[in-house]
Amino acid sequence: QVQLVESGGDSVQAGGSLRLSCAASGYTDRRYSMGWFRQAPGQEREGVAAINRYGTTLYADSVKGRFTVSEDNAKNTLYLQMNSLKPEDTAMYYCARDRSYYRLTLVGVEYGYWGQGTQVTVSS
């Protein structure tokens, strides 16, 4: 089993930046791809970014050019650097581990382990 704990969420002004972290513990296996998801009030869950063991990344169109996903494997930590934040980025952000190795997907049902979430609020 794997435990995932997100941190770094905050309230910021539009145009600001945040870096979210996701610390993994338990049975960590870097072969599994990792992803970030978000869910805003009244909205469906949205896949934000994913990264596989080779460092290949996948981003939702809504965050391309603004968000960057990365990993520090020595620390078993996943990051999401969020720049040029917009009010529409306001959501609970979750990290998750893919059920499979190597692939990149933003489909939530393909992920088997989830963190508790961290809240990001962007004001105009």
Side-chain angles (χ1 to χ4, degrees), residues 19-77:
R19 188 181 73 162
L20 306 184
S21 299
C22 172
S25 61
Y27 177 63
T28 58
D29 187 334
R30 66 169 262 99
R31 293 176 296 176
Y32 291 97
S33 297
M34 300 289 294
W36 286 98
F37 295 79
R38 66 187 182 186
Q39 188 165 24
Q43 303 295 314
E44 294 183 342
R45 182 177 60 193
E46 176 189 19
V48 175
I51 185 169
N52 68 15
R53 66 159 295 167
Y54 305 107
T56 308
T57 56
L58 174 66
Y59 297 95
D61 288 342
S62 58
V63 306
K64 286 180 180 177
R66 299 189 297 119
F67 290 11
T68 303
V69 62
S70 62
E71 286 184 295
D72 184 337
N73 291 302
K75 297 181 178 180
N76 290 320
T77 301

